[in-house]
Amino acid sequence: QVQLVESGGGLVQPGGSLRLSCAASGIMFRIYAMGWYRQAPGKQRELVASLTSGGSTNYADSVKGRFTISRDNNKNTVYLQMSSLKPEDTAVYYCHAARGINYYWGQGTQVTVSS
């Protein structure tokens, strides 16, 4: 059974930082491309950042220079370090794992940026 369990969300003031974690089980983590998506109320789910098994990264333009995705294959965990957070970053953040036609989603973690 595949599980992706996110943690680290919460309420933060504008300009603050958070680190999200996603612990994976039931998959051969190191061969999967991992990603973080987000969905704000009334909006479509969008890609925030992705990281291939080979280490290539991709970021949404809106988060470039502020967010960093990384992975620890020994811990089967992917991270999203978020800095200089803005109110428009408020959303539910989802972890995603993909390889070929197989893909999986986490349950999501809420990030709220507000003063």
Side-chain angles (χ1 to χ4, degrees):
Q1 181 181 0
V2 177
Q3 283 192 312
L4 300 177
V5 180
E6 300 102 333
S7 61
L11 173 64
V12 63
Q13 292 187 341
S17 299
L18 279 177
R19 188 177 82 156
L20 305 183
S21 301
C22 171
S25 59
I27 59 172
M28 193 175 292
F29 179 81
R30 68 179 186 275
I31 67 173
Y32 274 71
M34 301 300 298
W36 288 95
Y37 288 71
R38 67 187 180 187
Q39 187 166 20
K43 294 188 176 181
Q44 289 189 331
R45 192 172 295 189
E46 63 175 358
L47 174 68
V48 175
S50 64
L51 175 57
T52 68
S53 57
S56 297
T57 58
N58 183 46
Y59 294 94
D61 287 343
S62 59
V63 307
K64 283 181 180 176
R66 300 188 298 122
F67 291 11
T68 302
I69 188 171
S70 61
R71 65 193 297 161
D72 185 336
N73 289 338
N74 292 322
K75 295 182 178 180
N76 289 0
T77 300
V78 62
Y79 304 97
L80 185 68
Q81 179 66 49
M82 306 185 293
S83 303
S84 302
L85 283 161
K86 304 175 182 180
E88 51 263 44
D89 295 318
T90 295
V92 178
Y93 284 70
Y94 296 91
C95 179
H96 182 260
R99 180 170 173 83
I101 63 171
N102 298 313
Y103 63 93
Y104 306 96
W105 291 98
Q107 83 287 351
T109 185
Q110 176 71 45
V111 172
T112 302
V113 184
S114 175
S115 55

